[in-house]
Amino acid sequence: MKIILKEYLASLKERGDLDKSVLPNLLSEIGLRVLNTPMIGTRQNGVDIAAVGKVKGEDKHRYLYLFCIKAGNISRSDWSTGIQAVRPELDEIRDVYLRSNIAREYVDLPIKICLCCGGELEETALMNWAGYTDRYTTEKVSYEEWNGDRLADLMMRCLLARELLEEEPRRNFQKAVAMVNEPDACYEYTRAFLGNLLREEPESKKDQLLKLRQSFICLHAVIAWAIDAKNLESAYKVSEIGMLFCWNAIRKRDQKKRPTKHDNALMFILNQFLKLYLMASEIYFEKTAYAYGGTPHALSVAVRSRESVDVNLAMFELLGRLAIRGIWTDLFFRGLPDADPEFLKSLAESTNRTLDTMVSVINSNPTLSSPIRDDHMIEIALVMYLSQLTQSESRFLPWLKSISHRTTFALITNSQYPTCLSEYADLIEHPESSEQSYLDEACVGSILYPYVYFWMQYMANEKDTAEFTERLMKKIPNCTHQAWFPDEDSDDLIWCGETYHGVCVTDVSPHNGHEALVDTLNKSIETCTAITEISAVKAGLIPMFLTACRHYRLPIPPNFWFLCT
């Protein structure tokens, strides 16, 4: 276990990994109170992280800890020059930070200046370090080396020790790391160790924080190895499930006007899970959709399958992931009006880039106009929800109109029309017969057709609308057209993958006309009010709920079909 941790720590980058993700959690768990973490664009005066307190089992007195953090190993060439230069930052701590940055309440505390790195201080730099620390050590100021070996020891002792990280989650974590090249296996083992740590009610607030920190460190390690192995599919999937499990673990906290210290710690950890997800998704899209979305058929060919079903499934999966990322970045943009203008600008640019990429992906891959699974309504609804948030519906209405035509035309020609069958073997054979009995089985229910028909009043003329309903009536007259709403049990079940909950509204058939459809939906929205009690919705984190719907293949409720309804 320690070898795995040391290799993981050595692979971390200074900015965003070691200093913002791993070390703050570790310091909090070993007994220190973190005073500040680094911010991009601000002067640090040599100190990446400042903390105060006593390290459990080591310190007898309180110290002010000042950390100068570097990535990987530190060699002699890193001592005085280069991006990793150590001495200039140590000098800055001594000449600037100690003179002007220490708060009055900590002025009398003894100080430990720690050179921290994920790797080790190489032999060629040891004499420089020894000479420097010998020269500047005083009664009040001392120096320590926190290398990968020490960090791994602290993790084993305070975060991932045998008595804290029990046998089963530790075994599943190690298997997840070993299987980073196999996305499905890596996902299942990651889900298992997150479940081991976070599914049960914690014994205390302290225990809750410990398990969340353990989960984050383990998840971060799995993602770091997946990225290092260039398996971005694994990195994306486990980052998403980690975010959902984290929310499930903290959603029952009391939402008080004045948050307690514990509440702040929980929100800090949630923020780290969210950042990890956004980082993993950014890397994933940089190598896929952002890079090749505008090249005709490039992403479809990259699926590397002769089966059109594989291409269709993969492209809709990609489209849904893009839409969810855009919804998240748009939420942060709207929810942080007082944030740094440069940061807000980057969020707006990220959302616009996602929208542009989605348009390019749709135009370059015609399979996206012919969904083969009925539950591809989820991806379509997420795209349209994002388009409404950004007032760019006009960019996607032609695509939605094409879907309305192609899906019903496929019914007429008996050629891979949308089906509610979900097993891969069934999809490969679909349609295996043109008999009405098979049609009735393959289209026994639909969430796609009511959604598409709902939008036709905004994108189609009377002729197109009539043709759409006539084809449905002719080919699948017995199909139960439906919509889904969460119920009172949904908030307890949805975050960890339980799907047997919610309310199904069945009287939404296109045959009844637009007015009847809208009337039924509005009445259902008024009646099925449990969605307002969903923890993420109450907290203003609607993207969290939509992420869970997409991840676990639950329909998008009509509350999010059209924002003006």
Side-chain angles (χ1 to χ4, degrees):
M1 185 72 164
K2 186 175 178 181
I3 293 172
I4 292 176
L5 289 174
K6 284 181 68 176
E7 288 181 1
Y8 158 62
L9 289 164
S11 72
L12 295 180
K13 297 176 182 177
E14 173 194 358
R15 279 281 177 246
D17 283 344
L18 188 56
D19 58 357
K20 284 190 178 181
S21 298
V22 176
L23 202 54
N25 277 309
L26 181 59
L27 296 178
S28 296
E29 199 54 48
I30 64 177
L32 302 182
R33 181 161 68 90
V34 177
L35 301 177
N36 70 281
T37 53
M39 295 178 66
I40 295 173
T42 59
R43 183 171 176 180
Q44 305 295 328
N45 294 328
V47 176
D48 292 301
I49 294 178
V52 66
K54 296 188 287 187
V55 175
K56 292 175 185 175
E58 294 183 9
D59 296 335
K60 294 181 179 178
H61 309 287
R62 290 176 81 221
Y63 286 88
L64 176 63
Y65 281 86
L66 305 176
F67 290 90
C68 173
I69 302 172
K70 299 298 171 187
N73 295 337
I74 298 173
S75 64
R76 187 178 178 183
S77 60
D78 297 320
W79 181 254
S80 299
T81 57
I83 342 175
Q84 284 256 100
V86 173
R87 178 164 187 155
E89 293 201 17
L90 294 177
D91 288 343
E92 203 167 2
I93 294 174
R94 186 169 46 81
D95 298 337
V96 182
Y97 194 95
L98 296 184
R99 293 175 184 274
S100 58
N101 284 67
I102 299 178
R104 186 176 298 174
E105 57 193 296
Y106 307 125
V107 166
D108 297 329
L109 289 178
I111 296 165
K112 289 188 179 184
I113 299 174
C114 304
L115 177 58
C116 181
C117 62
E120 58 184 31
L121 193 61
E122 293 182 2
E123 191 176 350
T124 53
L126 277 174
M127 292 187 67
N128 300 75
W129 170 249
Y132 187 94
T133 54
D134 182 63
R135 181 177 179 183
Y136 293 111
T137 296
T138 64
E139 286 186 7
K140 184 173 182 178
V141 179
S142 59
Y143 290 81
E144 288 187 359
E145 177 194 347
W146 286 40
N147 57 21
D149 195 66
R150 173 159 171 74
L151 294 177
D153 270 335
L154 288 171
M155 281 187 183
M156 291 289 291
R157 193 177 78 206
C158 298
L159 269 175
L160 306 176
R162 176 178 291 271
E163 60 272 17
L164 295 177
L165 190 63
E166 296 174 355
E167 180 73 23
E168 191 172 358
R170 186 173 70 255
R171 187 170 61 248
N172 285 322
F173 164 61
Q174 291 170 331
K175 288 178 180 178
V177 169
M179 300 299 288
V180 289
N181 281 316
E182 298 292 336
D184 290 340
C186 180
Y187 172 84
E188 290 302 329
Y189 287 125
T190 301
R191 180 181 169 82
F193 79 69
L194 289 173
N196 297 147
L197 291 170
L198 300 179
R199 287 294 293 271
E200 293 181 6
E201 286 291 325
E203 295 177 4
S204 64
K205 291 181 177 180
K206 185 178 178 181
D207 182 55
Q208 182 185 32
L209 284 173
L210 171 63
K211 289 185 180 301
L212 281 165
R213 287 172 181 145
Q214 289 175 336
S215 301
F216 180 80
I217 294 291
C218 291
L219 184 68
H220 198 291
V222 173
I223 290 173
W225 262 294
I227 292 172
D228 188 56
K230 295 183 171 54
N231 196 323
L232 303 182
E233 178 72 11
S234 292
Y236 181 91
K237 289 178 72 173
V238 301
S239 70
E240 193 169 73
I241 190 69
M243 177 176 65
L244 295 174
F245 268 77
C246 174
W247 177 256
N248 183 59
I250 73 170
R251 63 185 171 83
K252 291 182 180 177
R253 74 195 191 288
D254 292 332
Q255 307 235 351
K256 302 173 183 175
K257 289 183 180 179
R258 285 191 173 183
T260 63
K261 183 180 176 182
H262 178 72
D263 293 330
N264 290 332
L266 290 179
M267 294 313 293
F268 177 76
I269 292 174
L270 174 65
N271 190 43
Q272 290 186 307
F273 273 92
L274 285 171
K275 285 180 178 177
L276 190 59
Y277 161 74
L278 291 173
M279 178 272 292
S281 65
E282 178 73 13
I283 295 172
Y284 172 81
F285 291 128
E286 284 290 350
K287 297 292 185 182
T288 54
Y290 292 160
Y292 304 105
T295 305
H297 308 291
L299 293 170
S300 296
V301 171
V303 178
R304 295 184 180 180
S305 173
R306 296 180 180 180
E307 297 290 346
S308 60
V309 170
D310 292 329
V311 176
N312 191 270
L313 295 176
M315 294 310 302
F316 270 98
E317 179 73 17
L318 178 65
L319 187 63
R321 292 176 180 182
L322 278 166
I324 279 291
R325 178 177 171 80
I327 293 169
W328 272 113
T329 53
D330 184 76
L331 168 80
F332 290 131
F333 175 73
R334 296 173 189 277
L336 303 170
D338 301 325
D340 178 69
E342 286 298 315
F343 179 60
L344 290 176
K345 183 182 176 184
S346 70
L347 285 174
E349 288 174 351
S350 177
T351 304
N352 290 331
R353 186 184 188 190
T354 301
L355 283 166
D356 293 340
T357 302
M358 285 162 56
V359 172
S360 298
V361 169
I362 288 169
N363 291 338
S364 302
N365 299 274
T367 188
L368 287 170
S369 294
S370 303
I372 194 170
R373 279 175 47 163
D374 187 75
D375 67 0
H376 282 155
M377 170 269 186
I378 299 168
E379 284 74 24
I380 297 167
L382 291 174
V383 170
M384 295 310 297
Y385 181 73
L386 175 60
S387 74
Q388 292 176 81
L389 290 176
T390 54
Q391 299 181 337
S392 53
E393 302 98 310
S394 58
R395 302 181 71 181
F396 298 95
L397 287 178
W399 168 60
L400 202 53
K401 186 176 180 180
S402 176
I403 289 174
S404 70
H405 173 74
R406 291 193 181 193
T407 51
T408 53
F409 184 74
L411 278 171
I412 298 296
T413 57
N414 196 46
S415 57
Q416 290 193 325
Y417 47 84
T419 173
C420 59
L421 302 174
S422 57
E423 293 296 327
Y424 181 73
D426 294 330
L427 293 173
I428 286 288
E429 298 296 327
H430 176 72
E432 62 181 48
S433 168
S434 59
E435 296 294 326
Q436 188 62 44
S437 58
Y438 177 79
L439 269 165
D440 290 341
E441 179 187 354
C443 301
V444 66
S446 176
I447 55 173
L448 173 64
Y449 292 123
Y451 180 82
V452 173
Y453 183 70
F454 175 83
W455 271 94
M456 290 190 79
Q457 62 183 310
Y458 305 101
M459 68 182 182
N461 55 38
E462 289 185 13
K463 180 184 175 183
D464 292 333
T465 303
E467 183 181 59
F468 181 83
T469 53
E470 285 169 9
R471 287 174 172 177
L472 293 181
M473 180 64 79
K474 178 181 178 182
K475 299 303 294 183
I476 48 172
N478 301 318
C479 177
T480 303
H481 300 279
Q482 53 199 286
W484 179 84
F485 291 87
D487 64 13
E488 291 75 13
D489 297 324
S490 295
D491 196 44
D492 290 328
L493 301 175
I494 189 173
W495 308 111
C496 296
E498 298 290 339
T499 55
Y500 291 101
H501 56 89
V503 176
C504 180
V505 177
T506 57
D507 193 18
V508 289
S509 173
H511 311 144
N512 299 330
H514 276 297
E515 191 174 333
L517 174 66
V518 172
D519 185 55
T520 301
L521 290 177
N522 283 332
K523 286 179 179 176
S524 300
I525 289 171
E526 290 174 10
T527 306
C528 304
T529 57
I531 193 166
T532 59
E533 296 303 313
I534 295 289
S535 55
V537 176
K538 287 175 71 175
L541 291 174
I542 288 174
M544 188 73 77
F545 173 71
L546 296 177
T547 300
C549 287
R550 192 202 68 81
H551 192 92
Y552 296 122
R553 309 310 298 163
L554 288 167
I556 305 300
N559 309 69
F560 305 103
W561 286 15
F562 197 78
L563 298 184
C564 297
T565 299

